Amino acid sequence: MTQRSVLISGAGLAGPALAHQLHRRGIRATVVERAPALRDGGYKVDIRGAATEVLKRMGLFEAARAADTDMRTVTYIKADGRPIATLDASLLMGRRGDDLEVVRTELVRILHDATAADVGYRFGDSIAELRDDGEVLFASGATERYDYVVGADGLHSATRRMAFGEVAARHLGAYISIFDVPDDLGLDREEIFFSAPGRMVFAYSTGPGTPTKIGMVFASPPLTDPRPRAVLRERFAGMGWRVDSFLAALDGVDDLYFDSLSQIEMPQWSRGRVVLLGDAGYCPSPASGQGTSLALVGAYVLADAIDKGDLAGYERVMRPYVDRNLAYGRKMAGDMVPGGRFQLAFRNYGMRTLRFNPWKRQIIEQVTRPLHEAANAVVIPS
Ligand SMILES: Cc1cc2nc3c(=O)[nH]c(=O)nc-3n(C[C@H](O)[C@H](O)[C@H](O)COP(=O)(O)OP(=O)(O)OC[C@H]3O[C@@H](n4cnc5c(N)ncnc54)[C@H](O)[C@@H]3O)c2cc1C
């Protein structure tokens, strides 16, 4: 019997997680990644609920737990850098059970290291054409045949376009950018949030001497052909605090993450031999904080479905979970960028007084309940 083979487009988080699970089931996995090396940029990502169970079954939970950010505090500041309120991070993030928060770079490396020996990675290449009989033409000119092709190539998936045609993303009214600057803030597992109407900047570092990760979010209708560095300078210059020095560092940034806060909604994730996974099929947007969890759970469920030759099973198990998390992401998008001055003042008042509120744990539990329900809204096949 010939060994079954799967081509996965995209070595982000979903692609290597699927490759890991296919290899475990005796299926040959090849990952093709357009970038010349792992794209290891990004901020912290959350792994919640069902996704922690998936990491345990993959045997990678302990590695991820060792990389947990172990955040200490979150501080909201004014334009002059003075604090509005400092809060205990574990209280504010409302983590439950085995939920983890890991810098994206670390998770990318954990997944890659766990698969590098058994999975063929083709960096600097991409799919140029998908043919009906499972044959794939690569941009490098090679042709190969696979039993399945999986698009795990993110929000702007080229695999999706080739198999399903143009699918319009649902724009949630904002853009987000993440990049590293050389450390000069002296943060040690502390996060800073600085907001103005329509704009927010956040900064985080795992410890003194490590690069500071900067996040910038701004409200905007869809931009045609945005040039990230120019757009960020135009939107954030003169905002206050140290924002101008972050903008000055932009030219030295290698892997700038810049994207719209958007969702992908599709009635079906497979067509013939082509299947979509992670952001390519059901991006919930960074506003949900659930993109990584959906990618991990999706990878596990898809590996099982491919093994059984039952792609309908993938749709059946994932659909309610995906719908719930997409709905949650839409709800949260409005909160990610503060609206007017009144909304901002109201939020700042809430943060200032929360520390002294005897019901603070109950309040946070109430606020984060929909997130935890969404994070657990799936039964993973045994
Ligand atoms: C550099 C980077 C930084 C990010 N930072 C954050 C963050 O800070 N916060 C957050 O919430 N989310 C972030 N994300 C998105 C987050 O990783 C995903 O929402 C989520 O983890 C789902 O993962 P994914 O594997 O489906 O998609 P992604 O992690 O986006 O991975 C997709 C991969 O496919 C590759 N690819 C794209 N097109 C092609 C092609 N045509 N052929 C081959 N490969 C292709 C990309 O280079 C990338 O490696 C980031 C994504 C990237 C790529």
Side-chain angles (χ1 to χ4, degrees):
M1 218 171 96
T2 53
Q3 193 187 20
R4 291 170 293 169
S5 64
V6 176
L7 175 68
I8 302 165
S9 176
L13 295 167
L18 175 66
H20 185 270
Q21 286 305 298
L22 290 173
H23 174 71
R24 280 237 175 132
R25 289 165 172 79
I27 301 168
R28 186 162 58 85
T30 304
V31 181
V32 59
E33 165 61 51
R34 186 176 55 180
L38 282 182
R39 292 200 57 202
D40 58 3
Y43 209 66
K44 304 176 276 133
V45 291
D46 297 297
I47 305 160
R48 290 198 189 91
T52 61
E53 171 61 21
V54 162
L55 274 189
K56 284 177 195 164
R57 294 193 194 181
M58 292 173 79
L60 298 177
F61 179 77
E62 287 309 326
R65 184 155 66 181
D68 189 276
T69 55
D70 196 17
M71 286 279 296
R72 297 190 304 128
T73 58
V74 175
T75 300
Y76 291 80
I77 61 162
K78 300 178 187 169
D80 59 9
R82 280 186 300 147
I84 295 165
T86 296
L87 294 154
D88 180 58
S90 62
L91 168 75
L92 200 61
M93 300 299 165
R95 280 162 58 153
R96 290 199 191 161
D98 285 333
D99 290 358
L100 299 174
E101 186 187 56
V102 180
V103 172
R104 186 180 177 280
T105 312
E106 305 261 351
L107 192 57
V108 166
R109 293 219 170 274
I110 289 169
L111 289 167
H112 179 258
D113 290 355
T115 49
D118 309 308
V119 169
Y121 278 91
R122 297 170 71 132
F123 286 100
D125 204 354
S126 56
I127 299 172
E129 193 184 324
L130 293 171
R131 294 171 180 161
D132 281 345
D133 56 358
E135 194 175 77
V136 173
L137 170 66
F138 289 91
S140 58
T143 55
E144 268 163 52
R145 196 177 296 276
Y146 298 90
D147 295 309
Y148 292 98
V149 175
V150 177
D153 42 358
L155 175 58
H156 306 284
S157 169
T159 315
R160 185 179 65 226
R161 203 164 39 250
M162 283 181 227
F164 294 85
E166 212 55 63
V167 174
R170 182 202 277 247
H171 183 68
L172 299 183
Y175 281 77
I176 180 166
S177 184
I178 309 285
F179 53 96
D180 285 5
V181 296
D183 173 53
D184 61 353
L185 297 183
L187 299 176
D188 182 7
R189 292 171 295 128
E190 299 155 270
E191 190 162 26
I192 292 181
F193 280 89
F194 170 43
S195 304
R199 294 178 289 178
M200 181 169 75
V201 175
F202 40 103
Y204 163 80
S205 164
T206 47
T210 57
T212 302
K213 298 204 166 286
I214 303 295
M216 293 187 170
V217 183
F218 61 95
S220 166
L223 301 168
T224 44
D225 191 24
R227 285 168 300 119
R229 288 173 175 77
V231 172
L232 290 174
R233 288 196 175 106
E234 184 213 320
R235 300 283 168 145
F236 287 90
M239 183 182 170
W241 185 41
R242 304 172 75 147
V243 175
D244 283 345
S245 76
F246 304 151
L247 295 173
L250 271 176
D251 283 335
V253 171
D254 289 335
D255 202 352
L256 177 75
Y257 175 70
F258 181 95
D259 220 323
S260 61
L261 230 59
S262 293
Q263 294 193 329
I264 296 294
E265 287 167 289
M266 298 185 71
Q268 206 177 327
W269 298 307
S270 63
R271 181 163 284 178
R273 295 165 185 266
V274 184
V275 197
L276 301 177
L277 170 66
D279 278 5
Y282 35 85
C283 177
S285 92
S288 72
Q290 279 290 93
T292 299
S293 293
L294 289 192
L296 291 173
V297 174
Y300 189 89
V301 176
L302 180 57
D304 185 63
I306 288 176
D307 193 24
K308 292 176 177 156
D310 173 27
L311 289 185
Y314 172 56
E315 305 255 355
R316 212 170 38 243
V317 173
M318 290 298 288
R319 183 63 63 184
Y321 175 54
V322 165
D323 285 352
R324 192 106 177 225
N325 282 283
L326 261 64
Y328 179 76
R330 287 192 290 278
K331 186 166 143 314
M332 295 312 289
D335 291 351
M336 200 155 172
V337 193
R341 288 190 189 286
F342 178 73
Q343 192 188 347
L344 201 56
F346 185 69
R347 189 208 65 185
N348 289 345
Y349 174 77
M351 292 303 168
R352 244 193 327 262
T353 51
L354 186 65
R355 209 156 34 117
F356 309 105
N357 192 319
W359 305 106
K360 59 183 179 241
R361 287 202 185 274
Q362 288 85 339
I363 292 170
I364 297 286
E365 255 193 61
Q366 187 69 23
V367 170
T368 56
R369 182 175 299 158
L371 169 61
H372 294 292
E373 286 173 357
N376 287 288
V378 61
V379 179
I380 306 161
S382 55

